[in-house]
Amino acid sequence: MRRFTRTVASVSTAVATAGLLASCAASEEKAFPELPERVCWDGAFAGSEVTPLLPPGAKVEFSRMAGRRFALTKELDSATCTLYIDGQTRFQAVADLRKFEDAVDWTSWDSSDPKPLDVGEKGIIWDTGAAAYFICEPAKDSNSPGKYIELELYVPYAPDKSKLQTVLPSLMKKFMAFAQSKIQCPGKAAGGA
């Protein structure tokens, strides 16, 4: 019986020690490396503004498209910047060129109970993201295309949802200003609203 008790005690100590070592290793893995000073395309966002929205992790990567020049054209009507932490999407910025205003459709977010966001045309914000659009070139009539720029920010695993709700409006305003400065809209100087 004493032998059994000593064996159980030894195994328990070994398991506890392994658990402590694993939690120490997990703590080290949970540290979040700093982002570059500017991130996404031509530096759309300050890394210091995006970092607080992200969960910790061991490995940070950006999508290949995130390093390209920001442009929306007939040939390239979408631009996406995705930040991965440990292989999972943790921040995403998307810009889409739409030919018709009614193509800007956010009904997929209805179940997230979005609230109005005072950015661009009819902006919205929900628990994990925000969306807005601006009119670059209005359609002349219902049959002729225009140029409508739709912007979305998506942060699926923010550690502090309340912080997300206070940071996303400012981040969306900066995203809109960035997109407007990069896209040549008829009758507007580069960077004009």
Side-chain angles (χ1 to χ4, degrees):
M1 181 70 170
R2 287 176 59 194
R3 186 175 195 195
F4 176 73
T5 304
R6 278 191 303 211
T7 303
V8 169
S10 297
V11 169
S12 296
T13 302
V15 168
T17 302
L20 287 172
L21 290 174
S23 70
C24 287
S27 295
E28 288 175 20
E29 289 176 18
K30 295 292 183 181
F32 187 74
E34 290 185 31
L35 295 179
E37 187 176 327
R38 303 296 302 177
V39 298
C40 292
W41 307 295
D42 309 313
F45 307 102
S48 61
E49 292 175 320
V50 174
T51 299
L53 304 177
L54 304 172
K59 185 176 180 185
V60 175
E61 297 176 278
F62 283 90
S63 60
R64 191 173 45 85
M65 302 298 282
R68 293 193 173 173
R69 186 176 64 81
F70 183 88
L72 295 175
T73 63
K74 288 179 185 175
E75 296 77 29
L76 184 64
D77 62 357
S78 186
T80 302
C81 172
T82 305
L83 184 148
Y84 303 100
I85 298 177
D86 298 335
Q88 302 293 317
T89 299
R90 297 301 186 235
F91 175 82
Q92 190 169 60
V94 179
D96 290 307
L97 170 62
R98 304 290 186 200
K99 293 180 181 178
F100 296 94
E101 193 167 16
D102 61 359
V104 177
D105 180 17
W106 298 323
T107 55
S108 62
W109 300 113
D110 285 352
S111 63
S112 298
D113 192 29
K115 306 289 185 245
L117 179 63
D118 189 22
V119 177
E121 305 290 327
K122 303 175 187 167
I124 61 171
I125 186 169
W126 61 96
D127 63 339
T128 60
Y133 74 97
F134 64 94
I135 301 168
C136 183
E137 183 179 353
K140 293 174 182 58
D141 57 53
S142 61
N143 294 324
S144 64
K147 209 171 180 184
Y148 303 88
I149 311 302
E150 179 182 7
L151 306 172
E152 289 187 27
L153 295 173
Y154 181 57
V155 188
Y157 297 98
D160 183 349
K161 296 283 188 198
S162 63
K163 181 175 257 187
L164 188 63
Q165 297 301 299
T166 59
V167 173
L168 275 178
S170 170
L171 213 54
M172 181 55 83
K173 285 178 185 175
K174 290 175 182 177
F175 189 18
M176 181 153 302
F178 171 82
Q180 289 172 331
S181 74
K182 296 292 182 182
I183 297 171
Q184 297 298 316
C185 294
K188 297 180 182 178

